[in-house]
Amino acid sequence: MKKALSALILAYSVFIFIGCSQSSGNDLESANKVISNYLDALTNKDINELSKYVTSEYFEGFSEEIINELEKNFISAELKESILRESNSKHIIIDANVEVICSEDFIPVGDWQPGRSISTKAFELIKIDDELKINGWGAY
C-alpha cells in the first residue's frame, strides 16, 4: 500500500512539474516573440507597428520628443538573452539583455551609451484579451 501511494505521489509530482515547466517555457517563448517584435519596430522606427506590441498606457510615453530622439540617435536593439522571472495568468516579468546601438554622439541615458551597449533591464508584459503586451521596460 505504501509503495502504491508513493508511486502515485511521485507520478503526480512529475506531472505537475512537467506541466509547470511547459507553461513557463511557453510563456518565455511567447514573451520573447513580443519583445523581439517590439525591438524590431523600434529599430525600424515604425511607431504604428510598435503600438501593436505595447499597452496603450506604455505607448502614451512615446512623446514626440522621444520619437524625434529615437529617429536621430537610435540605430538598433536586439534581444540577446532572457530569463523568465515571474509568470501568472495575467502578468509576466522577463529579465533581459538587449544589445542597443546608438549614434556616437548620443547623450547617454541610463544604460544606453553611445555606440554599442547592453541594456540589462526587465520587461513587464501583461495579458490583454489573450495577447501579451509590453507594459514597461525598466526596473521591476
Side-chain angles (χ1 to χ4, degrees), residues 18-78:
I18 290 172
C20 290
S21 296
Q22 288 175 342
S23 174
S24 296
N26 290 340
D27 285 347
L28 180 60
E29 185 178 315
S30 297
N32 282 345
K33 184 175 180 176
V34 172
I35 293 167
S36 292
N37 288 339
Y38 165 80
L39 295 173
D40 287 346
L42 272 179
T43 296
N44 295 326
K45 296 158 186 82
D46 186 339
I47 300 305
N48 290 326
E49 185 71 11
L50 181 84
S51 69
K52 296 177 185 178
Y53 306 107
V54 300
T55 63
S56 57
E57 294 83 13
Y58 185 58
F59 188 70
E60 288 174 6
F62 285 89
S63 67
E64 190 172 325
E65 180 182 347
I66 289 174
I67 292 167
N68 289 337
E69 189 64 31
L70 285 172
E71 288 177 349
K72 189 169 72 172
N73 290 305
F74 179 78
I75 298 170
S76 69
E78 181 181 354

Side-chain angles (χ1 to χ4, degrees), residues 105-124:
D105 56 347
F106 174 71
I107 298 170
V109 176
D111 58 359
W112 289 26
Q113 300 295 311
R116 179 186 175 275
S117 58
I118 299 294
S119 179
T120 55
K121 298 180 199 156
F123 284 92
E124 177 189 40

Side-chain angles (χ1 to χ4, degrees), residues 23-24 27-28 31 82-95 122-127 132 140:
S23 174
S24 296
D27 285 347
L28 180 60
S82 65
I83 298 169
L84 178 68
R85 183 192 329 157
E86 185 180 313
S87 175
N88 61 44
S89 63
K90 296 189 182 255
H91 185 255
I92 296 174
I93 300 287
I94 302 291
D95 291 320
F123 284 92
E124 177 189 40
L125 296 95
I126 59 175
K127 293 179 185 173
L132 281 176
Y140 294 96

